[in-house]
Amino acid sequence: PPHPPSFPYTTLFRSFHFQPKISFQTGLITGGEALLRWKRPDGQLIAPGMFLPLAEKTGFITDITAVMMTELAQDIARLRALKPDIQIAFNVSALDLHSPYLVKMLRSFIGNHLINPGNIQIEITETAFVDQSERIRATLLDLVALGIEIVMDDFGTGYSSLDVLSQLPFSALKLDQGVVGRMTEDSKNTHIVRSSLQLARELSIKTIAEGVETEAVYNFLLASGCNEAQGFWMARPMPIEDFITMIKEKPKWPSSELGFLYNAWVSHLSYRRKVLDTVYTMTMTNPDEWQQIGRASCRERV
Ligand code: G
Ligand code: MN
């Protein structure tokens, strides 16, 4: 079996690969996810699965993040020159959120006009751990105050919970690639995806589908009102030079406003349901309590 690389990691060549994210509304690239890639001196790539778990266990991940964050800011500056509104997602671990260094670094990049807050998105996985610390919560709020979006990664797996989603300032959820991949296999998975999209809608957060490997899955998500897609069917992660070429070419995938009409329709139905529920409740209640019910249902709508 392959061994994880031994320390020091610094002897390895590190870089980011970028996987494009596509807007369902326009069919165009909105940005991408930055994925860490390590190369051995012989040129062989080391899969993240081999070094990240060890780095997390030893706490070394925070050093990696600090070094790579600086590199990423340079990369984003290059990409911004081509597309000023580009949005690059960066994965951080719950460990990275314990200390204020992440916020400090990002604040300085923004202060120096190297990047705009809108150019970077922070993806957090294993949010179960995030839940437990006030310190982490404070870090996330600092990032939001800077104008940076926080994404819950791997939504639909054991690590991401509904409870955490509602308590922390996430502005998007990223559907797990396993859930997305199995979507067209049976109707249960289809319902899981649809109801996740609806949940996000009700919480007013954006949705990104990861692991879109076929046209069928792409089209289904398009019709269901998902906001963005990422996956092998459109593009694999690639070195920055290739990503730059692609951004220049402005490729276009299928797009439609249909999903957004679907959204509006679902919202309308659920609004009607709430009105009917309220009326029904009122007929069953003492008029003295009506005002309270009205107030409660108004709160729900805003
Ligand atoms: O969960 P996270 O966002 O960290 O996952 C990103 C990983 O998913 C990357 O390593 C990327 O290579 C992989 N990936 C991206 N798109 C696809 C896809 O369509 N299918 C599969 N199997 N993996 C994908
Ligand atoms: Mn991710």
Side-chain angles (χ1 to χ4, degrees):
H3 297 286
S6 53
F7 293 111
Y9 283 106
T10 42
T11 60
L12 298 166
F13 177 71
R14 305 153 307 212
S15 70
F16 281 106
H17 279 202
F18 295 86
Q19 185 176 34
K21 280 192 295 182
I22 286 93
S23 156
F24 278 118
Q25 198 169 8
T26 63
L28 300 170
I29 292 174
T30 57
E33 178 172 6
L35 297 154
L36 205 45
R37 291 290 180 268
W38 296 53
K39 229 185 232 173
R40 291 212 307 233
D42 63 11
Q44 198 191 328
L45 275 180
I46 298 166
M50 286 180 65
F51 62 83
L52 287 183
L54 183 63
E56 289 243 358
K57 222 165 62 195
T58 56
F60 196 65
I61 188 77
T62 57
D63 299 274
I64 296 179
T65 309
V67 172
M68 294 315 291
M69 177 85 81
T70 311
E71 237 157 272
L72 184 66
Q74 313 290 333
D75 282 356
I76 294 178
R78 277 181 77 186
L79 298 166
R80 266 187 79 197
L82 298 162
K83 184 173 164 50
D85 64 343
I86 196 156
Q87 194 172 44
I88 300 295
F90 180 55
N91 294 285
V92 308
S93 121
L95 278 180
D96 290 313
L97 302 170
H98 278 294
S99 86
Y101 83 95
L102 192 77
V103 174
K104 281 189 186 151
M105 287 182 81
L106 285 167
R107 190 177 285 138
S108 87
F109 297 146
I110 293 165
N112 296 333
H113 303 286
L114 191 60
I115 58 173
N116 266 335
N119 292 135
I120 195 153
Q121 239 180 3
I122 300 288
E123 278 186 23
I124 303 163
T125 191
E126 306 196 346
T127 41
F129 305 119
V130 169
D131 185 28
Q132 293 152 17
S133 151
E134 241 343 277
R135 182 60 245 156
I136 289 181
R137 196 185 154 75
T139 302
L140 292 180
L141 290 172
D142 283 347
L143 290 171
V144 171
L146 277 177
I148 293 170
E149 290 191 351
I150 317 285
V151 181
M152 182 184 271
D153 210 349
D154 305 320
F155 186 81
T157 66
Y159 287 121
S160 57
S161 83
L162 294 177
D163 194 34
V164 182
L165 187 65
S166 65
Q167 284 176 30
L168 294 170
F170 290 102
S171 57
L173 66 81
K174 200 163 188 181
L175 286 171
D176 178 63
Q177 56 185 56
V179 176
V180 172
R182 289 188 293 273
M183 196 172 74
T184 48
E185 279 170 22
D186 73 276
S187 62
K188 244 191 222 155
N189 287 314
T190 315
H191 288 312
I192 291 173
V193 170
R194 279 235 156 120
S195 49
S196 302
L197 294 176
Q198 189 181 340
L199 173 79
R201 208 150 40 223
E202 297 209 345
L203 295 173
S204 296
I205 64 179
K206 291 189 295 182
T207 46
I208 305 151
E210 186 169 61
V212 178
E213 293 186 347
T214 65
E215 188 175 8
V217 168
Y218 185 96
N219 286 332
F220 180 89
L221 291 163
L222 176 65
S224 305
C226 184
N227 300 111
E228 289 183 8
Q230 184 184 330
F232 291 172
W233 185 64
M234 297 83 78
R236 289 185 174 252
M238 60 188 89
I240 188 163
E241 275 72 28
D242 297 348
F243 190 41
I244 286 174
T245 307
M246 198 175 211
I247 291 169
K248 283 184 184 159
E249 286 170 352
K250 291 202 172 68
K252 198 171 182 306
W253 285 270
S255 64
S256 148
E257 298 283 334
L258 201 77
F260 296 86
L261 286 177
Y262 174 81
N263 270 347
W265 175 65
V266 171
S267 306
H268 177 68
L269 285 186
S270 91
Y271 169 69
R272 266 190 54 182
R273 259 263 307 280
K274 274 175 198 158
V275 172
L276 290 175
D277 281 352
T278 307
V279 171
Y280 179 70
T281 314
M282 284 173 111
T283 61
M284 307 285 285
T285 331
N286 187 322
D288 298 343
E289 297 168 49
W290 284 5
Q291 230 188 339
Q292 259 175 314
I293 296 166
R295 242 181 269 134
S297 69
C298 279
R299 257 202 308 278
E300 252 179 75
R301 256 179 294 140
V302 290

PDB file of all heavy atoms in Angstrom, residues 19 33 35 37 48 91 123 125 153-154 174 176-177 210-213 230-233 235-237, ligand 1:
ATOM      1  N   GLN A  19     -10.762  23.775 -10.280  1.00  0.00           N
ATOM      2  CA  GLN A  19     -11.877  23.135 -10.977  1.00  0.00           C
ATOM      3  C   GLN A  19     -12.987  24.168 -11.155  1.00  0.00           C
ATOM      4  O   GLN A  19     -13.489  24.725 -10.182  1.00  0.00           O
ATOM      5  CB  GLN A  19     -12.403  21.929 -10.195  1.00  0.00           C
ATOM      6  CG  GLN A  19     -13.482  21.192 -10.980  1.00  0.00           C
ATOM      7  CD  GLN A  19     -13.967  19.931 -10.293  1.00  0.00           C
ATOM      8  OE1 GLN A  19     -14.026  19.857  -9.080  1.00  0.00           O
ATOM      9  NE2 GLN A  19     -14.329  18.941 -11.088  1.00  0.00           N
ATOM     10  N   GLU A  33     -12.988  26.004  -7.678  1.00  0.00           N
ATOM     11  CA  GLU A  33     -12.485  25.571  -6.373  1.00  0.00           C
ATOM     12  C   GLU A  33     -10.992  25.331  -6.495  1.00  0.00           C
ATOM     13  O   GLU A  33     -10.533  24.674  -7.437  1.00  0.00           O
ATOM     14  CB  GLU A  33     -13.191  24.280  -5.923  1.00  0.00           C
ATOM     15  CG  GLU A  33     -12.643  23.773  -4.581  1.00  0.00           C
ATOM     16  CD  GLU A  33     -13.437  22.602  -3.988  1.00  0.00           C
ATOM     17  OE1 GLU A  33     -14.349  22.091  -4.654  1.00  0.00           O
ATOM     18  OE2 GLU A  33     -13.106  22.207  -2.848  1.00  0.00           O
ATOM     19  N   LEU A  35      -7.812  23.472  -5.437  1.00  0.00           N
ATOM     20  CA  LEU A  35      -7.515  22.180  -4.815  1.00  0.00           C
ATOM     21  C   LEU A  35      -6.008  21.994  -4.733  1.00  0.00           C
ATOM     22  O   LEU A  35      -5.297  22.161  -5.723  1.00  0.00           O
ATOM     23  CB  LEU A  35      -8.157  21.052  -5.621  1.00  0.00           C
ATOM     24  CG  LEU A  35      -9.691  21.104  -5.669  1.00  0.00           C
ATOM     25  CD1 LEU A  35     -10.237  20.416  -6.903  1.00  0.00           C
ATOM     26  CD2 LEU A  35     -10.275  20.503  -4.400  1.00  0.00           C
ATOM     27  N   ARG A  37      -2.462  20.486  -4.692  1.00  0.00           N
ATOM     28  CA  ARG A  37      -1.790  19.345  -5.327  1.00  0.00           C
ATOM     29  C   ARG A  37      -0.321  19.375  -4.959  1.00  0.00           C
ATOM     30  O   ARG A  37       0.317  20.426  -5.000  1.00  0.00           O
ATOM     31  CB  ARG A  37      -1.924  19.417  -6.853  1.00  0.00           C
ATOM     32  CG  ARG A  37      -3.334  19.185  -7.359  1.00  0.00           C
ATOM     33  CD  ARG A  37      -3.762  17.746  -7.172  1.00  0.00           C
ATOM     34  NE  ARG A  37      -5.123  17.508  -7.654  1.00  0.00           N
ATOM     35  CZ  ARG A  37      -6.216  17.599  -6.909  1.00  0.00           C
ATOM     36  NH1 ARG A  37      -6.133  17.952  -5.647  1.00  0.00           N
ATOM     37  NH2 ARG A  37      -7.415  17.339  -7.424  1.00  0.00           N
ATOM     38  N   PRO A  48      -4.272  14.349  -2.469  1.00  0.00           N
ATOM     39  CA  PRO A  48      -4.552  15.034  -1.203  1.00  0.00           C
ATOM     40  C   PRO A  48      -4.963  14.056  -0.104  1.00  0.00           C
ATOM     41  O   PRO A  48      -4.644  14.255   1.068  1.00  0.00           O
ATOM     42  CB  PRO A  48      -5.714  15.952  -1.542  1.00  0.00           C
ATOM     43  CG  PRO A  48      -5.763  16.033  -3.026  1.00  0.00           C
ATOM     44  CD  PRO A  48      -5.084  14.832  -3.581  1.00  0.00           C
ATOM     45  N   ASN A  91     -10.588  25.514   0.568  1.00  0.00           N
ATOM     46  CA  ASN A  91     -11.003  24.611   1.651  1.00  0.00           C
ATOM     47  C   ASN A  91     -10.213  24.874   2.916  1.00  0.00           C
ATOM     48  O   ASN A  91      -8.984  24.891   2.882  1.00  0.00           O
ATOM     49  CB  ASN A  91     -10.769  23.156   1.235  1.00  0.00           C
ATOM     50  CG  ASN A  91     -11.660  22.763   0.080  1.00  0.00           C
ATOM     51  OD1 ASN A  91     -12.855  22.537   0.238  1.00  0.00           O
ATOM     52  ND2 ASN A  91     -11.076  22.705  -1.109  1.00  0.00           N
ATOM     53  N   GLU A 123     -14.632  27.269   2.056  1.00  0.00           N
ATOM     54  CA  GLU A 123     -15.399  26.034   2.173  1.00  0.00           C
ATOM     55  C   GLU A 123     -14.970  25.296   3.425  1.00  0.00           C
ATOM     56  O   GLU A 123     -13.794  25.056   3.638  1.00  0.00           O
ATOM     57  CB  GLU A 123     -15.166  25.121   0.957  1.00  0.00           C
ATOM     58  CG  GLU A 123     -16.003  25.500  -0.218  1.00  0.00           C
ATOM     59  CD  GLU A 123     -15.891  24.517  -1.381  1.00  0.00           C
ATOM     60  OE1 GLU A 123     -15.529  23.340  -1.185  1.00  0.00           O
ATOM     61  OE2 GLU A 123     -16.170  24.948  -2.507  1.00  0.00           O
ATOM     62  N   THR A 125     -15.512  21.858   5.692  1.00  0.00           N
ATOM     63  CA  THR A 125     -16.048  20.505   5.768  1.00  0.00           C
ATOM     64  C   THR A 125     -15.994  20.042   7.218  1.00  0.00           C
ATOM     65  O   THR A 125     -15.464  20.738   8.085  1.00  0.00           O
ATOM     66  CB  THR A 125     -15.283  19.566   4.814  1.00  0.00           C
ATOM     67  OG1 THR A 125     -15.993  18.348   4.740  1.00  0.00           O
ATOM     68  CG2 THR A 125     -13.868  19.318   5.283  1.00  0.00           C
ATOM     69  N   ASP A 153     -19.381  22.587   3.046  1.00  0.00           N
ATOM     70  CA  ASP A 153     -18.964  21.582   2.068  1.00  0.00           C
ATOM     71  C   ASP A 153     -19.616  20.231   2.394  1.00  0.00           C
ATOM     72  O   ASP A 153     -20.031  19.999   3.527  1.00  0.00           O
ATOM     73  CB  ASP A 153     -17.435  21.443   2.126  1.00  0.00           C
ATOM     74  CG  ASP A 153     -16.836  21.038   0.791  1.00  0.00           C
ATOM     75  OD1 ASP A 153     -17.585  20.655  -0.122  1.00  0.00           O
ATOM     76  OD2 ASP A 153     -15.590  21.093   0.665  1.00  0.00           O
ATOM     77  N   ASP A 154     -19.679  19.359   1.403  1.00  0.00           N
ATOM     78  CA  ASP A 154     -20.143  17.978   1.600  1.00  0.00           C
ATOM     79  C   ASP A 154     -21.516  17.875   2.260  1.00  0.00           C
ATOM     80  O   ASP A 154     -21.743  17.001   3.092  1.00  0.00           O
ATOM     81  CB  ASP A 154     -19.124  17.177   2.445  1.00  0.00           C
ATOM     82  CG  ASP A 154     -17.734  17.216   1.831  1.00  0.00           C
ATOM     83  OD1 ASP A 154     -17.633  17.131   0.599  1.00  0.00           O
ATOM     84  OD2 ASP A 154     -16.748  17.341   2.582  1.00  0.00           O
ATOM     85  N   LYS A 174     -22.878  23.163  -0.332  1.00  0.00           N
ATOM     86  CA  LYS A 174     -22.365  22.418  -1.463  1.00  0.00           C
ATOM     87  C   LYS A 174     -22.813  20.977  -1.320  1.00  0.00           C
ATOM     88  O   LYS A 174     -22.426  20.301  -0.361  1.00  0.00           O
ATOM     89  CB  LYS A 174     -20.839  22.512  -1.442  1.00  0.00           C
ATOM     90  CG  LYS A 174     -20.220  22.211  -2.765  1.00  0.00           C
ATOM     91  CD  LYS A 174     -18.805  22.730  -2.781  1.00  0.00           C
ATOM     92  CE  LYS A 174     -18.214  22.631  -4.154  1.00  0.00           C
ATOM     93  NZ  LYS A 174     -16.835  23.098  -4.182  1.00  0.00           N
ATOM     94  N   ASP A 176     -22.962  17.211  -1.524  1.00  0.00           N
ATOM     95  CA  ASP A 176     -21.903  16.205  -1.584  1.00  0.00           C
ATOM     96  C   ASP A 176     -21.918  15.452  -2.909  1.00  0.00           C
ATOM     97  O   ASP A 176     -22.977  15.151  -3.461  1.00  0.00           O
ATOM     98  CB  ASP A 176     -22.101  15.225  -0.431  1.00  0.00           C
ATOM     99  CG  ASP A 176     -21.076  14.117  -0.459  1.00  0.00           C
ATOM    100  OD1 ASP A 176     -19.885  14.436  -0.311  1.00  0.00           O
ATOM    101  OD2 ASP A 176     -21.460  12.955  -0.662  1.00  0.00           O
ATOM    102  N   GLN A 177     -20.744  15.134  -3.414  1.00  0.00           N
ATOM    103  CA  GLN A 177     -20.674  14.487  -4.730  1.00  0.00           C
ATOM    104  C   GLN A 177     -21.274  13.083  -4.755  1.00  0.00           C
ATOM    105  O   GLN A 177     -21.786  12.655  -5.783  1.00  0.00           O
ATOM    106  CB  GLN A 177     -19.259  14.479  -5.273  1.00  0.00           C
ATOM    107  CG  GLN A 177     -18.222  13.847  -4.390  1.00  0.00           C
ATOM    108  CD  GLN A 177     -16.825  14.023  -4.986  1.00  0.00           C
ATOM    109  OE1 GLN A 177     -16.388  15.130  -5.256  1.00  0.00           O
ATOM    110  NE2 GLN A 177     -16.135  12.934  -5.205  1.00  0.00           N
ATOM    111  N   GLU A 210     -21.746  19.406  -6.397  1.00  0.00           N
ATOM    112  CA  GLU A 210     -20.405  18.921  -6.680  1.00  0.00           C
ATOM    113  C   GLU A 210     -20.501  17.516  -7.274  1.00  0.00           C
ATOM    114  O   GLU A 210     -21.448  16.797  -7.012  1.00  0.00           O
ATOM    115  CB  GLU A 210     -19.630  18.877  -5.361  1.00  0.00           C
ATOM    116  CG  GLU A 210     -18.189  18.525  -5.486  1.00  0.00           C
ATOM    117  CD  GLU A 210     -17.465  18.768  -4.181  1.00  0.00           C
ATOM    118  OE1 GLU A 210     -17.817  18.152  -3.169  1.00  0.00           O
ATOM    119  OE2 GLU A 210     -16.553  19.590  -4.184  1.00  0.00           O
ATOM    120  N   GLY A 211     -19.539  17.123  -8.071  1.00  0.00           N
ATOM    121  CA  GLY A 211     -19.529  15.762  -8.612  1.00  0.00           C
ATOM    122  C   GLY A 211     -20.533  15.536  -9.725  1.00  0.00           C
ATOM    123  O   GLY A 211     -21.089  14.452  -9.860  1.00  0.00           O
ATOM    124  N   VAL A 212     -20.775  16.575 -10.538  1.00  0.00           N
ATOM    125  CA  VAL A 212     -21.675  16.424 -11.679  1.00  0.00           C
ATOM    126  C   VAL A 212     -20.900  15.705 -12.789  1.00  0.00           C
ATOM    127  O   VAL A 212     -20.005  16.271 -13.399  1.00  0.00           O
ATOM    128  CB  VAL A 212     -22.190  17.797 -12.174  1.00  0.00           C
ATOM    129  CG1 VAL A 212     -23.095  17.635 -13.391  1.00  0.00           C
ATOM    130  CG2 VAL A 212     -22.913  18.523 -11.051  1.00  0.00           C
ATOM    131  N   GLU A 213     -21.219  14.437 -12.986  1.00  0.00           N
ATOM    132  CA  GLU A 213     -20.436  13.616 -13.911  1.00  0.00           C
ATOM    133  C   GLU A 213     -21.130  13.316 -15.219  1.00  0.00           C
ATOM    134  O   GLU A 213     -20.500  12.792 -16.143  1.00  0.00           O
ATOM    135  CB  GLU A 213     -20.041  12.294 -13.226  1.00  0.00           C
ATOM    136  CG  GLU A 213     -19.063  12.491 -12.080  1.00  0.00           C
ATOM    137  CD  GLU A 213     -18.565  11.178 -11.490  1.00  0.00           C
ATOM    138  OE1 GLU A 213     -19.150  10.125 -11.801  1.00  0.00           O
ATOM    139  OE2 GLU A 213     -17.585  11.231 -10.728  1.00  0.00           O
ATOM    140  N   GLN A 230     -20.367  21.902 -10.388  1.00  0.00           N
ATOM    141  CA  GLN A 230     -18.941  21.626 -10.494  1.00  0.00           C
ATOM    142  C   GLN A 230     -18.825  20.118 -10.710  1.00  0.00           C
ATOM    143  O   GLN A 230     -19.504  19.347 -10.048  1.00  0.00           O
ATOM    144  CB  GLN A 230     -18.296  22.041  -9.172  1.00  0.00           C
ATOM    145  CG  GLN A 230     -16.803  21.916  -9.094  1.00  0.00           C
ATOM    146  CD  GLN A 230     -16.289  22.263  -7.690  1.00  0.00           C
ATOM    147  OE1 GLN A 230     -16.872  23.069  -6.983  1.00  0.00           O
ATOM    148  NE2 GLN A 230     -15.211  21.627  -7.302  1.00  0.00           N
ATOM    149  N   GLY A 231     -18.022  19.692 -11.650  1.00  0.00           N
ATOM    150  CA  GLY A 231     -17.885  18.246 -11.843  1.00  0.00           C
ATOM    151  C   GLY A 231     -17.178  17.873 -13.127  1.00  0.00           C
ATOM    152  O   GLY A 231     -16.962  18.712 -14.008  1.00  0.00           O
ATOM    153  N   PHE A 232     -16.827  16.585 -13.192  1.00  0.00           N
ATOM    154  CA  PHE A 232     -16.045  16.086 -14.315  1.00  0.00           C
ATOM    155  C   PHE A 232     -16.745  16.257 -15.651  1.00  0.00           C
ATOM    156  O   PHE A 232     -16.100  16.342 -16.685  1.00  0.00           O
ATOM    157  CB  PHE A 232     -15.703  14.597 -14.109  1.00  0.00           C
ATOM    158  CG  PHE A 232     -14.736  14.344 -12.988  1.00  0.00           C
ATOM    159  CD1 PHE A 232     -14.462  13.038 -12.561  1.00  0.00           C
ATOM    160  CD2 PHE A 232     -14.082  15.390 -12.351  1.00  0.00           C
ATOM    161  CE1 PHE A 232     -13.565  12.792 -11.523  1.00  0.00           C
ATOM    162  CE2 PHE A 232     -13.190  15.164 -11.311  1.00  0.00           C
ATOM    163  CZ  PHE A 232     -12.940  13.850 -10.894  1.00  0.00           C
ATOM    164  N   TRP A 233     -18.087  16.269 -15.683  1.00  0.00           N
ATOM    165  CA  TRP A 233     -18.789  16.390 -16.958  1.00  0.00           C
ATOM    166  C   TRP A 233     -18.428  17.724 -17.641  1.00  0.00           C
ATOM    167  O   TRP A 233     -18.270  17.781 -18.854  1.00  0.00           O
ATOM    168  CB  TRP A 233     -20.310  16.298 -16.815  1.00  0.00           C
ATOM    169  CG  TRP A 233     -20.977  16.316 -18.148  1.00  0.00           C
ATOM    170  CD1 TRP A 233     -20.863  15.374 -19.126  1.00  0.00           C
ATOM    171  CD2 TRP A 233     -21.809  17.363 -18.688  1.00  0.00           C
ATOM    172  NE1 TRP A 233     -21.577  15.756 -20.239  1.00  0.00           N
ATOM    173  CE2 TRP A 233     -22.168  16.969 -20.001  1.00  0.00           C
ATOM    174  CE3 TRP A 233     -22.291  18.586 -18.184  1.00  0.00           C
ATOM    175  CZ2 TRP A 233     -22.984  17.741 -20.825  1.00  0.00           C
ATOM    176  CZ3 TRP A 233     -23.098  19.350 -18.990  1.00  0.00           C
ATOM    177  CH2 TRP A 233     -23.440  18.937 -20.297  1.00  0.00           C
ATOM    178  N   ALA A 235     -15.726  20.007 -16.366  1.00  0.00           N
ATOM    179  CA  ALA A 235     -14.264  20.170 -16.356  1.00  0.00           C
ATOM    180  C   ALA A 235     -13.638  19.535 -15.126  1.00  0.00           C
ATOM    181  O   ALA A 235     -14.222  19.552 -14.043  1.00  0.00           O
ATOM    182  CB  ALA A 235     -13.920  21.659 -16.390  1.00  0.00           C
ATOM    183  N   ARG A 236     -12.449  18.979 -15.318  1.00  0.00           N
ATOM    184  CA  ARG A 236     -11.679  18.416 -14.211  1.00  0.00           C
ATOM    185  C   ARG A 236     -10.794  19.504 -13.604  1.00  0.00           C
ATOM    186  O   ARG A 236     -10.575  20.533 -14.243  1.00  0.00           O
ATOM    187  CB  ARG A 236     -10.790  17.280 -14.731  1.00  0.00           C
ATOM    188  CG  ARG A 236     -11.620  16.079 -15.091  1.00  0.00           C
ATOM    189  CD  ARG A 236     -10.765  14.887 -15.500  1.00  0.00           C
ATOM    190  NE  ARG A 236     -11.648  13.757 -15.694  1.00  0.00           N
ATOM    191  CZ  ARG A 236     -11.728  12.707 -14.867  1.00  0.00           C
ATOM    192  NH1 ARG A 236     -10.929  12.610 -13.835  1.00  0.00           N
ATOM    193  NH2 ARG A 236     -12.588  11.742 -15.086  1.00  0.00           N
ATOM    194  N   PRO A 237     -10.305  19.275 -12.384  1.00  0.00           N
ATOM    195  CA  PRO A 237      -9.345  20.237 -11.838  1.00  0.00           C
ATOM    196  C   PRO A 237      -8.134  20.336 -12.770  1.00  0.00           C
ATOM    197  O   PRO A 237      -7.737  19.337 -13.366  1.00  0.00           O
ATOM    198  CB  PRO A 237      -8.944  19.609 -10.498  1.00  0.00           C
ATOM    199  CG  PRO A 237     -10.055  18.672 -10.143  1.00  0.00           C
ATOM    200  CD  PRO A 237     -10.577  18.167 -11.444  1.00  0.00           C
TER     201      PRO A 237
HETATM  202  O1    G B   1     -15.379  17.815  -0.965  1.00  0.00           O
HETATM  203  P1    G B   1     -14.395  18.632  -1.780  1.00  0.00           P
HETATM  204  O2    G B   1     -14.991  19.940  -2.248  1.00  0.00           O
HETATM  205  O3    G B   1     -13.090  18.890  -1.073  1.00  0.00           O
HETATM  206  O4    G B   1     -14.094  17.714  -3.058  1.00  0.00           O
HETATM  207  C1    G B   1     -13.316  18.111  -4.118  1.00  0.00           C
HETATM  208  C2    G B   1     -12.775  16.864  -4.784  1.00  0.00           C
HETATM  209  O5    G B   1     -13.758  16.256  -5.612  1.00  0.00           O
HETATM  210  C3    G B   1     -11.584  17.133  -5.661  1.00  0.00           C
HETATM  211  O6    G B   1     -10.525  16.326  -5.272  1.00  0.00           O
HETATM  212  C4    G B   1     -12.047  16.825  -7.067  1.00  0.00           C
HETATM  213  O7    G B   1     -11.025  16.268  -7.842  1.00  0.00           O
HETATM  214  C5    G B   1     -13.173  15.840  -6.843  1.00  0.00           C
HETATM  215  N1    G B   1     -14.183  15.915  -7.909  1.00  0.00           N
HETATM  216  C6    G B   1     -14.590  17.016  -8.531  1.00  0.00           C
HETATM  217  N2    G B   1     -15.546  16.772  -9.440  1.00  0.00           N
HETATM  218  C7    G B   1     -15.742  15.429  -9.414  1.00  0.00           C
HETATM  219  C8    G B   1     -16.617  14.552 -10.136  1.00  0.00           C
HETATM  220  O8    G B   1     -17.397  14.927 -11.014  1.00  0.00           O
HETATM  221  N3    G B   1     -16.554  13.229  -9.804  1.00  0.00           N
HETATM  222  C9    G B   1     -15.713  12.758  -8.827  1.00  0.00           C
HETATM  223  N4    G B   1     -15.720  11.466  -8.561  1.00  0.00           N
HETATM  224  N5    G B   1     -14.885  13.572  -8.129  1.00  0.00           N
HETATM  225  C10   G B   1     -14.898  14.882  -8.415  1.00  0.00           C
END
